[in-house]
């Protein structure tokens, strides 16, 4: 597993914080000299991954190798990595020079050598003449530069950066991105960068690692991640996208929005439900004519600087987002074309909810940690373990959590052209997926109801006999 | 009118609070053996105190003991209290609340009870009665004050600086010495000063834990002296000096705290 050119190997690492599993079997190889970005929403485990590389956390399962050596039990100060912290973490009692010289002094580097190296990195980060300044007197951007200088002056094999630009304003962030990229080229060392900003990830990295809920979703180059997302989460998180429920009719033929389209994907089988992603800039829009593949009416048009962003409603009840250099006024009848290359077909992760449960009595089943009423089941006795299947659209959410059998909070919302696909985390930490027309907000606390007749219950045979 | 009344009230309170101290300070500048008689201005009591005129009475010895005990106790409590504060700061939930609670009890516990229970404990453990037992006892009641002064500093500082030090190659010990302690220093100094004055001031705990080897601190000396019939006149200048020293120390503590608050405000 340790290929010759890989400097960091994360091998099946899992990590729990109490009951909560924050990392779930993460594996990742980082090549020497690469600029790798770990990208994901807050709480996805990206910072924990970085802290495991730095040595501030130890994995509960799995191994971490740096430079081919097992590092699980190696203390942070003995690892060949340096970190740029989120809020800089400069030493307030030391001036700029002493902050940067901190690591070198500990290593016992000669005084004149320290001075040479400190001045060199100060020049590199554009902070010459600031060496005697008090760090509290510096602006956010300047503190950031000192933090970077303090890390790279030690010539680490790997530089870890934990959302280093998140505290800076937009313009400053753009400038720093360019400088970081140049620094990476100049230094030739490996950068591992953690961020929740997808634009930053695409701009900076050689490789992007998309994480969600402690699981690696996709690893690839920025173009791969953008053009060929492996699932709805990645498609939605990276850039803007139109996501549809579709059906793969045959190889190179997919049906969505009530129309058949040519695509380039093969090997899904026939009449298989799939998710389809089309980027808003990949839909060609024109005045209504008969050359289009489908039609619609413009219902919104916003100027975004470089392009216009339009909302188009189709007669089939779908809502599309389209970006184009030409504006079409609200109410315009339009025709649209999507080219085969621009249709990204993804295997559905699931087509209905599949929940593990236990029959508590003849008409009740415990799923999601709560007791739901169900129809009497022939051949299943109370206490039996069962599998319960529920269609996405059959799950009912209530505003007041007390109106539901179970309580949950909405952790992810995906808009799928004519409905929302919600991820709701129940009290016991399990997820249930819901299709709905209603508008909910992220982090809403809701009640969960399922009608007895909408549950398909089957016994788990193998375990029953055990 | 309301304002005037408020000022009068405040003045009266301050007068009552400070009258005894002023009385002692004034009467330290006269030679009269009886406290309260004014027999003309003189600095003889001061010169007696400093020229060795008090040798043999044990007064200077008591002063010396008091200062040594206060310095040792304050120093050790500062170390212990700082480490305890770091531990409390990093513990969570019930453990944190429990330790904070245990930390606060010695501060509200009556001195007599602290003194008697420590005395019993020292006897039980066979700790030698005298300097050792008194210093240990003083450390016990001084440490909580240091904890209370260091904790806010921990809350103020960026907790990631410790990790940053480790990350840059410092061992945990080096990170503590080079990064954590310097940032906690203001709280530690305030804690030290408070512990020092608490120790100087103590009578009850010292009285119970000093044993029978004849160890006298200032407070026990004055107590014995007063029971022998009248205070030695030289105590008047000594008390005046101690009052001024403690007063200056407290002013220093206050100025430090105010400055820290101002600095914090200006950074925002």
């Amino acid at each position: 597993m340790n290929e010759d050119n890989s400097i960091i190997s994360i091998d099946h690492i899992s990590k729990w914080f109490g009951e909560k599993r924050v990392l779930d079997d993460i594996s990742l190889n980082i090549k020497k000299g690469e600029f790798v970005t770990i990208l994901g929403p807050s709480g996805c485990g990206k910072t924990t991954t970085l802290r495991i590389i730095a040595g501030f956390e130890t994995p509960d399962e799995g191994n971490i190798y740096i430079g081919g050596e097992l590092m699980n039990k190696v203390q942070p100060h003995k690892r060949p990595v340096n970190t740029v912290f989120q809020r800089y973490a400069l030493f307030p009692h030391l001036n700029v020079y002493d902050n940067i010289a901190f690591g070198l002094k500990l290593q016992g580097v000669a005084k004149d050598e320290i001075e040479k190296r400190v001045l060199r990195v100060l020049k590199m980060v554009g902070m010459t003449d600031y060496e005697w300044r008090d760090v509290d007197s510096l602006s956010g951007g300047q503190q950031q530069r000192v933090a970077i200088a303090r890390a790279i002056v030690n010539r680490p094999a790997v530089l870890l950066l934990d959302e280093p630009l998140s505290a800076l304003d937009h313009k400053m962030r753009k400038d720093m991105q360019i400088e970081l990229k140049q620094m990476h080229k100049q230094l030739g060392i490996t950068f591992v960068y953690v961020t929740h900003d997808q634009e930053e990830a695409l701009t900076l990295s050689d490789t992007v690692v998309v994480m969600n809920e402690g699981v690696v979703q996709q690893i690839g180059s920025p173009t791969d991640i953008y053009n060929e997302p492996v699932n709805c989460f990645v498609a939605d998180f990276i850039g803007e996208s139109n996501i549809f429920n579709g059906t793969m009719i045959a190889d190179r033929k997919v049906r969505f929005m009530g129309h058949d389209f040519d695509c380039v994907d093969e090997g899904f089988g026939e009449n298989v439900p799939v998710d389809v992603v089309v980027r808003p800039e990949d839909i060609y829009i024109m005045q209504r004519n008969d050359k289009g593949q489908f039609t619609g009416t413009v219902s919104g048009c916003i100027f975004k600087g470089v392009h216009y962003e339009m909302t188009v409603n189709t007669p089939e009840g779908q809502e599309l987002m389209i970006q184009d250099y030409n504006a079409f006024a609200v109410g315009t009848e339009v025709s649209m074309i999507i080219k085969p290359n621009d249709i990204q077909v993804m295997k559905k992760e699931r087509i209905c909810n599949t929940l593990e449960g236990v029959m508590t009595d003849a008409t009740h089943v415990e799923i999601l940690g709560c007791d739901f009423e169900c129809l009497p089941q022939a051949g299943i006795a109370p206490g039996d373990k069962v599998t319960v299947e529920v269609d996405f659209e059959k799950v009912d959410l209530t505003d007041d959590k007390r109106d539901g059998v179970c309580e949950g909070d909405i952790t992810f919302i995906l808009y799928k052209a004519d409905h929302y696909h919600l991820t709701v985390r129940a009290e016991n930490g399990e997820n249930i997926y819901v299709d709905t027309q209603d508008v909910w907000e992220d982090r809403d606390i809701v009640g969960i109801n399922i009608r007895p007749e909408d549950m398909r219950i089957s016994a788990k045979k193998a375990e029953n006999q055990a | 009118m309301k304002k005037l009344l408020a000022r009068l009230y405040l003045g009266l309170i301050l007068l009552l609070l400070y009258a005894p101290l002023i009385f002692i300070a004034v009467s330290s500048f006269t030679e009269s053996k009886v406290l309260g008689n004014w027999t003309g201005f003189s600095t003889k009591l001061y010169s007696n105190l400093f020229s060795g005129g008090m040798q043999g009475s044990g007064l200077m010895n008591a002063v010396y003991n008091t200062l040594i005990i206060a310095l040792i106790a304050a120093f050790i409590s500062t170390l212990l209290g700082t480490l305890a504060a770091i531990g409390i700061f990093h513990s969570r939930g019930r453990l944190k609340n429990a330790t904070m609670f245990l930390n606060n009890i010695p501060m509200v516990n009556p001195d007599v009870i602290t003194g008697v229970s420590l005395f019993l404990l020292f006897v039980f453990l066979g700790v030698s009665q005298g300097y050792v037992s008194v210093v240990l006892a003083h450390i016990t009641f001084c440490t909580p004050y240091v904890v209370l002064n260091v904790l806010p500093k921990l809350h103020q500082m960026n907790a990631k600086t410790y990790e940053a030090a480790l990350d840059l190659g410092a061992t945990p010990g080096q990170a503590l010495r080079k990064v954590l302690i310097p940032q906690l220093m203001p709280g530690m100094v305030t804690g030290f000063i408070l512990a020092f004055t608490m120790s100087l001031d103590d009578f009850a705990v010292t009285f119970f834990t000093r044993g029978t080897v004849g160890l006298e601190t200032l407070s026990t000396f004055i107590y014995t002296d007063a029971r022998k019939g009248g205070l030695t006149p030289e105590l008047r200048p000594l008390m005046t000096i101690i009052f001024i020293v403690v007063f200056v120390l407290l002013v220093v503590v206050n100025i430090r705290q105010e400055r820290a608050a101002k600095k914090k405000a200006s950074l925002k």
Side-chain angles (χ1 to χ4, degrees):
Chain A
M1 49 144 295
N2 279 312
E3 296 150 39
D4 279 342
N5 59 351
S6 83
I7 183 141
I8 295 176
S9 284
I10 292 174
D11 184 22
H12 297 288
I13 279 182
S14 291
K15 174 83 186 169
W16 277 264
F17 287 154
E19 293 282 290
K20 192 170 156 38
R21 189 178 190 150
V22 287
L23 291 182
D24 186 357
D25 198 19
I26 300 272
S27 286
L28 179 62
N29 263 298
I30 296 172
K31 289 197 215 86
K32 214 173 250 174
E34 226 182 345
F35 196 130
V36 177
T37 299
I38 305 177
L39 173 68
S42 60
C44 72
K46 56 189 191 296
T47 297
T48 309
T49 308
L50 198 76
R51 289 173 61 81
I52 283 178
I53 301 175
F56 299 129
E57 305 282 356
T58 47
D60 292 324
E61 274 171 24
N63 294 316
I64 161 111
Y65 300 87
I66 302 176
E69 277 177 62
L70 183 66
M71 286 277 159
N72 285 21
K73 295 214 166 72
V74 177
Q75 302 247 13
H77 63 274
K78 292 188 180 137
R79 297 194 183 198
V81 300
N82 284 122
T83 309
V84 177
F85 290 86
Q86 192 166 8
R87 296 211 137 262
Y88 323 135
L90 296 176
F91 307 131
H93 58 292
L94 301 177
N95 61 25
V96 170
Y97 183 94
D98 287 328
N99 261 282
I100 298 173
F102 190 87
L104 297 176
K105 280 183 185 162
L106 287 170
Q107 288 169 38
V109 176
K111 232 179 172 175
D112 47 341
E113 168 77 4
I114 291 180
E115 190 174 340
K116 232 191 289 166
R117 280 167 70 174
V118 170
L119 294 181
R120 200 184 306 147
V121 289
L122 273 173
K123 194 172 169 201
M124 195 166 172
V125 297
M127 293 280 290
T128 310
D129 296 337
Y130 278 91
E131 60 260 44
W132 308 120
R133 285 280 290 272
D134 198 353
V135 290
D136 280 338
S137 70
L138 302 178
S139 72
Q142 291 169 329
Q143 291 196 23
Q144 182 58 69
R145 286 158 200 270
V146 176
I148 293 170
R150 185 178 68 174
I152 59 178
V153 77
N154 302 294
R155 297 176 184 158
V158 181
L159 184 68
L160 308 176
L161 302 108
D162 185 7
E163 307 219 15
L165 308 184
S166 60
L168 303 180
D169 62 53
H170 185 73
K171 180 91 178 56
M172 181 74 103
R173 203 154 59 215
K174 292 273 173 200
D175 294 345
M176 281 304 288
Q177 282 175 13
I178 296 166
E179 283 181 43
L180 275 175
K181 189 93 183 158
Q182 281 169 346
M183 242 179 258
H184 175 245
K185 271 205 196 104
Q186 214 174 328
L187 291 166
I189 61 176
T190 312
F191 277 36
V192 182
Y193 191 98
V194 160
T195 183
H196 63 267
D197 182 338
Q198 44 101 8
E199 198 189 323
E200 208 164 276
L202 297 179
T203 313
L204 290 171
S205 341
D206 301 320
T207 304
V208 179
V209 180
V210 186
M211 284 184 71
N212 188 35
E213 306 217 311
V215 179
V216 172
Q217 305 286 323
Q218 187 170 7
I219 303 177
S221 71
T223 29
D224 283 351
I225 300 265
Y226 187 83
N227 292 332
E228 280 155 44
V230 295
N231 59 34
C232 288
F233 173 81
V234 178
D236 182 67
F237 193 73
I238 311 283
E240 309 278 3
S241 42
N242 295 293
I243 303 174
F244 309 94
N245 283 330
T247 311
M248 205 66 188
I249 301 166
D251 278 354
R252 296 168 173 270
K253 265 270 185 275
V254 62
R255 184 175 177 79
F256 60 95
M257 291 195 293
H259 297 273
D260 291 353
F261 292 87
D262 288 329
C263 64
V264 293
D265 298 85
E266 297 175 349
F268 284 86
E270 292 189 1
N271 291 317
V272 177
V274 289
D275 285 319
V276 178
V277 174
V278 182
R279 296 290 180 186
E281 68 273 21
D282 289 338
I283 303 177
Y284 294 85
I285 180 169
M286 53 208 144
Q287 291 288 346
R288 176 73 60 89
N289 61 28
D290 36 345
K291 286 187 198 121
Q293 290 167 303
F294 60 105
T295 60
T297 313
V298 177
S299 64
C301 182
I302 304 166
F303 181 53
K304 285 277 189 177
V306 183
H307 58 259
Y308 292 88
E309 189 170 286
M310 285 158 284
T311 315
V312 174
N313 289 90
T314 69
E316 294 84 13
Q318 311 263 334
E319 189 182 84
L320 303 175
M321 185 203 279
I322 300 176
Q323 292 171 353
D324 202 286
Y325 298 120
N326 302 308
F328 291 85
V330 173
T332 314
E333 300 284 313
V334 290
S335 293
M336 286 153 287
I337 294 176
I338 306 172
K339 290 185 176 166
N341 251 325
D342 295 330
I343 295 173
Q344 167 68 13
V345 178
M346 304 174 303
K347 202 172 155 257
K348 270 198 185 291
E349 282 164 280
R350 58 190 78 76
I351 48 171
C352 71
N353 288 297
T354 308
L355 304 161
E356 306 289 312
V358 181
M359 294 298 289
T360 48
D361 62 40
T363 59
H364 283 90
V365 60
E366 190 191 308
I367 46 174
L368 303 168
C370 304
D371 216 17
F372 283 87
E373 199 185 332
C374 64
L375 299 176
Q377 302 293 319
I380 302 177
D384 282 359
K385 288 188 175 164
V386 290
T387 303
V388 181
E389 287 186 337
V390 186
D391 290 334
F392 300 137
E393 68 272 17
K394 293 290 167 58
V395 181
D396 234 5
L397 298 182
T398 60
D399 260 321
D400 192 331
K401 64 186 183 193
R402 281 165 301 186
D403 293 340
V405 176
C406 207
E407 185 185 323
D409 60 325
I410 297 175
T411 56
F412 183 55
I413 301 177
L414 192 68
Y415 185 57
K416 282 185 138 176
D418 62 350
H419 67 273
Y420 293 95
H421 185 68
L422 309 178
T423 307
V424 181
R425 188 186 291 128
E427 283 162 76
N428 70 345
E430 264 186 89
N431 285 335
I432 183 163
Y433 304 88
V434 184
D435 278 353
T436 173
Q437 302 281 345
D438 303 333
V439 179
W440 296 91
E441 300 245 0
D442 207 9
R443 304 286 155 210
D444 267 354
I445 307 279
V446 294
I448 304 168
N449 282 321
I450 305 168
R451 286 189 303 174
E453 59 270 31
D454 292 332
M455 292 187 207
R456 292 188 296 276
I457 301 179
S458 54
K460 284 183 76 179
K461 292 188 186 73
E463 281 177 48
N464 269 353
Q465 275 147 20
Chain B
M1 187 62 196
K2 217 174 186 181
K3 213 170 180 181
L4 188 72
L5 273 178
R7 285 211 180 141
L8 269 175
Y9 179 69
L10 186 68
L12 190 69
I13 297 267
L14 283 177
L15 187 72
L16 283 174
L17 277 176
Y18 283 88
L21 291 165
I22 294 165
F23 179 63
I24 289 279
V26 169
S27 46
S28 69
F29 289 103
T30 185
E31 278 174 46
S32 160
K33 294 257 182 238
V34 183
L35 193 58
N37 281 4
W38 182 262
T39 56
F41 181 82
S42 154
T43 52
K44 185 162 170 275
L45 292 178
Y46 283 88
S47 52
N48 272 354
L49 194 62
F50 289 109
S51 64
M54 296 308 295
Q55 221 98 69
S57 72
L59 175 61
M60 289 322 276
N61 197 26
V63 171
Y64 173 77
N65 285 340
T66 308
L67 288 177
I68 291 292
I69 289 168
L71 280 175
I72 297 177
F75 183 75
I76 297 179
S77 331
T78 305
L79 288 186
L80 279 180
T82 305
L83 293 179
I86 294 171
I88 291 172
F89 180 71
H90 287 285
S91 52
R92 292 273 162 265
R94 222 182 254 173
L95 180 67
K96 184 175 195 154
N97 291 336
T99 4
M100 276 312 288
F101 183 66
L102 288 177
N103 182 63
N104 290 340
I105 287 182
M107 289 189 289
V108 289
N109 201 28
D111 282 356
V112 183
I113 296 180
T114 310
V116 173
S117 32
L118 281 171
F119 164 68
L120 293 174
L121 181 73
F122 289 148
V123 169
F124 176 73
L125 292 177
V127 175
S128 85
Q129 305 275 298
Y131 250 104
V132 178
S133 57
V134 172
V135 167
L136 285 178
H138 281 212
I139 292 170
T140 317
F141 69 76
C142 287
T143 307
Y145 292 91
V146 179
V147 172
L148 280 193
N149 274 286
V150 173
L151 266 179
K153 294 286 158 218
L154 280 159
H155 283 286
Q156 278 168 26
M157 67 174 240
N158 183 344
K160 286 275 191 300
T161 51
Y162 176 73
E163 283 187 355
L166 295 182
D167 188 71
L168 291 166
T171 62
Q174 285 171 324
L176 182 72
R177 281 202 312 278
K178 289 172 192 277
V179 171
L180 219 50
I181 301 274
Q183 291 188 71
L184 300 180
M185 199 44 100
M188 290 168 69
V189 171
T190 313
F192 180 89
I193 294 174
L194 270 182
F196 184 76
T197 53
M198 294 302 294
S199 170
L200 275 190
D201 182 58
D202 177 71
F203 169 71
V205 176
T206 313
F207 187 76
F208 282 107
T209 53
R210 66 183 171 147
T212 49
V213 289
L215 175 71
E216 293 282 9
T217 65
L218 194 58
S219 55
T220 59
F221 177 86
I222 294 170
Y223 174 75
T224 326
D225 189 51
R227 279 163 58 114
K228 267 192 265 173
L231 282 177
T232 310
E234 281 77 6
L235 279 172
R236 288 178 235 152
L238 183 64
M239 284 177 191
T240 310
I241 292 169
I242 290 175
F243 167 69
I244 289 169
V245 168
V246 170
F247 185 76
V248 168
L249 279 180
L250 283 178
V251 168
V252 168
V253 169
N254 275 329
I255 290 176
R256 287 176 68 94
Q257 279 169 349
E258 204 157 297
R259 243 190 238 157
K262 252 188 208 156
K263 196 181 173 194
K264 209 179 148 198
S266 74
L267 282 178
K268 272 178 184 167

